[in-house]
Amino acid sequence: MATIRDVAFDVLRHHGLTRMFANPGSTEVALLSDLPDDLGFVLGLHEASVVGMASGYALASDQPALVLLHTTAGLGNAVGAIATARVSRAPMVILVGQQDRRHLQSAPFLAGEQLELLAGSMPVAVRTPASPVEVPTAIAQAYHEATIHRGPVLVVIPMGDWDEEAPENLAAAAPARLRISAGADPELVAELADTLAAAKSPAIVAGAGADTHAGFAALTTLAERLNAPVWQAAFSSESAFPHDHPAFRGHLPAVRAGIRTTLAPHDVVLVVGAPAFKVNLHDAGPFVEAGTRLVLLTELPDEITHSTADVAYLAPVAPTCAAVADRLPASATTLEPRPAPEVRPAKGPDAMTPDMVYQAFAERLPAESTFFEETPSSRGRLIDILPARTPLSYCTVTMGGLGHAIPASVGVKLAQTNRPVVAFVGDGASLYSIQGLWSAAHYGVGVLYVILRNGGYAVMDLLARNHGGKGPWPGFAEISVSTIAGGFGVETRRIDTHTDLLAALDDIVPSLAGRTTPLLLDVAVES
């Protein structure tokens, strides 16, 4: 039976954390008893000495050092030395013992009260695993954070966690290897290019970190050189690849099983400008099959520490992708474009589904447009039907909250006054920041607001049905968003039929780029 301790030791070995500087106590005994011979132990008689020795070791070896401290007393004694390590840019992973989590609520002897706050702002990061199975991942993530931010990282670990049985095949959900470059480093570029060139069936997952003109161009060239399909990362706040390109295959599923199935045919998957991976509801299993190699390229440290990847590159996205593409030969074949998405018809005559609304815009909006998504019940349909063709085309919020689209669209239009800007917002979602319409009207901001009116929280109704029941929340068909908008000084049009919608868009869209006042379409859709 493997324990959490066994798996944690494998993580330490993998990252070269095989020498431990410590002044331990009882909360660390379970970790240290019968310590394996390949893990060295260096005792200090005071915590300042322990952290000081580790600082020197880290600076001289140019890699994170491993420190072990004893709950409140040990960490408290070490704070001054940790502050010195922070200023000295000495990377280290500091494991801090805590009382057994099974009775922490009873405030037992040696329980550390808010240990994660004791060292203040001196650590560059602090990790508190929520359960024993998260301990190995927390240690691996701390190693990467110490490397990236060049400083001490705390990991607070309850003493009982070490002896807990580890689930089968438990591994740290963090990159196995990390490389850092401030530019398109030739050695890094060569390594990444060789990996992609050797792949039999490479694929690309694009995220918001590549949503620039340079990023679009570099990823497009790279996909064409590799003849690789491209997916949009799930929950990406922006697009990063032209959705009308033959290589585009749609948005990646937001559950592990879907990701595994989608990427199973590919032996190398390059994730660019996004974590690997962001999902929604939990399901079991790894993100990819055992034969698929995951490579991550991003400019954001957090996307690295929260990703499962064989290797992660912290480097500028656009220049690195462009340099990699330059090293690859042109592909002799091209991918066939994916079939056009099916547009779901309405049940009633001249009524509308959200699909029909999005299709109408897809046929009329120019490529150099920005559209916001805040339609929870039909989000999947919008991103399938309405393509993002240029940088800053597609914008959404990835935190799960509502109230972003109405004010954020005002900001985009203020910054790019000659760009058509459309905000698709559900009637329920609109109520979270409806007052943003006043600012659009007051400052003469020509955003087109499309409110999809279904009279309730349709996405919550769907989730409740999927859970086998129904929710206690009522509908709110009596609310008139167009009436509210009119009260803020916004021109509104109530659209109740598909014919009315097409006529309105034919009138509005041609002059949308130069529009200087907001307009709200209150559009009735079938739920």
Side-chain angles (χ1 to χ4, degrees):
M1 182 190 72
T3 64
I4 296 299
R5 177 179 184 257
D6 297 325
V7 179
F9 283 160
D10 287 340
V11 171
L12 295 178
R13 293 182 181 106
H14 177 80
H15 291 295
L17 296 170
T18 55
R19 177 173 288 168
M20 183 185 302
F21 297 89
N23 185 275
S26 58
T27 52
E28 294 72 56
V29 169
L31 172 66
L32 296 174
S33 294
D34 296 324
L35 193 68
D37 292 340
D38 64 325
L39 299 179
F41 182 89
V42 179
L43 178 66
L45 300 183
H46 186 275
E47 288 78 6
S49 298
V50 170
V51 176
M53 286 188 289
S55 295
Y57 184 84
L59 293 170
S61 63
D62 196 29
Q63 64 181 21
L66 178 62
V67 174
L68 181 65
L69 299 175
H70 174 57
T71 190
T72 305
L75 178 57
N77 284 344
V79 169
I82 291 171
T84 299
R86 169 70 179 259
V87 175
S88 301
R89 296 175 56 81
M92 61 182 69
V93 175
I94 303 176
L95 308 183
V96 181
Q98 170 65 295
Q99 251 289 2
D100 195 310
R101 72 170 74 237
R102 290 171 294 188
H103 67 160
L104 275 175
Q105 70 274 13
S106 301
F109 179 65
L110 293 180
E113 183 71 22
Q114 295 186 308
L115 276 175
E116 68 277 10
L117 304 179
L118 185 56
S121 62
M122 294 305 103
V124 297
V126 178
R127 295 205 161 267
T128 55
S131 66
V133 295
E134 295 182 15
V135 168
T137 290
I139 294 172
Q141 291 174 333
Y143 174 86
H144 293 312
E145 288 170 324
T147 302
I148 293 168
H149 300 298
R150 300 292 300 181
V153 179
L154 300 187
V155 186
V156 180
I157 305 174
M159 59 190 293
D161 288 8
W162 299 115
D163 293 328
E164 289 288 321
E165 182 178 354
E168 187 177 0
N169 299 320
L170 177 65
R177 189 163 66 92
L178 170 66
R179 293 203 57 184
I180 302 174
S181 174
D185 177 77
E187 184 180 339
L188 183 154
V189 167
E191 178 180 294
L192 180 52
D194 289 346
T195 298
L196 294 171
K200 295 179 181 178
S201 179
I204 298 172
V205 176
D211 190 51
T212 63
H213 286 286
F216 256 64
L219 267 184
T220 301
T221 302
L222 182 58
E224 291 172 350
R225 293 285 173 88
L226 292 169
N227 193 29
V230 180
W231 281 270
Q232 184 76 43
F235 300 113
S236 180
S237 61
E238 298 170 51
S239 59
F241 189 82
H243 292 180
D244 57 349
H245 191 283
F248 186 64
R249 289 294 179 267
H251 287 245
L252 202 64
V255 292
R256 291 173 183 250
I259 294 171
R260 280 198 306 276
T261 300
T262 301
L263 300 179
H266 304 284
D267 56 340
V268 175
V269 175
L270 173 64
V271 181
V272 180
F277 294 93
K278 185 183 287 290
V279 297
N280 186 11
L281 301 177
H282 176 264
D283 58 339
F287 287 110
V288 295
E289 300 289 356
T292 301
R293 177 176 169 81
L294 273 180
V295 181
L296 173 64
L297 170 63
T298 180
E299 298 176 15
L300 298 182
D302 282 352
E303 288 185 345
I304 285 179
T305 55
H306 292 93
S307 293
T308 300
D310 294 281
V311 59
Y313 298 101
L314 181 62
V317 166
T320 301
C321 284
V324 169
D326 286 344
R327 293 181 64 95
L328 298 171
S331 175
T333 59
T334 57
L335 293 166
E336 290 292 324
R338 65 175 180 148
E342 180 182 351
V343 176
R344 298 171 183 171
K347 297 175 183 176
D350 211 20
M352 284 174 286
T353 60
D355 287 28
M356 296 165 67
V357 177
Y358 303 142
Q359 181 65 31
F361 276 91
E363 294 169 351
R364 291 166 174 78
L365 271 186
E368 293 287 342
S369 301
T370 295
F371 58 91
F372 281 79
E373 177 278 316
E374 198 163 280
T375 58
S377 62
S378 60
R379 175 181 185 272
R381 305 305 298 161
L382 183 151
I383 59 182
D384 279 344
I385 295 170
L386 184 55
R389 292 168 283 175
T390 60
L392 198 62
S393 283
Y394 167 75
C395 296
T396 189
V397 63
T398 62
M399 285 298 293
L402 298 172
H404 175 72
I406 288 178
S409 57
V410 174
V412 169
K413 186 67 174 177
L414 284 170
Q416 298 196 16
T417 54
N418 293 319
R419 188 178 183 94
V421 178
V422 180
F424 296 98
V425 188
D427 52 353
S430 72
L431 301 175
Y432 286 82
S433 59
I434 195 72
Q435 70 278 1
L437 294 175
W438 178 86
S439 298
H442 184 79
Y443 294 103
V445 182
V447 175
L448 176 60
Y449 294 100
V450 181
I451 307 300
L452 275 68
R453 171 173 31 99
N454 57 33
Y457 287 132
V459 69
M460 293 300 297
D461 294 336
L462 175 62
L463 291 171
R465 286 197 300 272
N466 289 343
H467 195 65
K470 61 180 182 179
W473 48 85
F476 40 80
E478 68 275 17
I479 294 178
S480 172
V481 175
S482 55
T483 300
I484 298 171
F488 285 124
V490 174
E491 178 189 352
T492 67
R493 299 189 195 181
R494 195 172 173 95
I495 308 292
D496 291 310
T497 69
H498 190 228
T499 301
D500 289 346
L501 175 70
L502 299 183
L505 295 188
D506 288 339
D507 175 46
I508 296 164
V509 172
S511 59
L512 185 56
R515 190 176 183 90
T516 57
T517 58
L519 173 63
L520 184 142
L521 302 183
D522 187 350
V523 183
V525 293
E526 293 181 351
S527 180

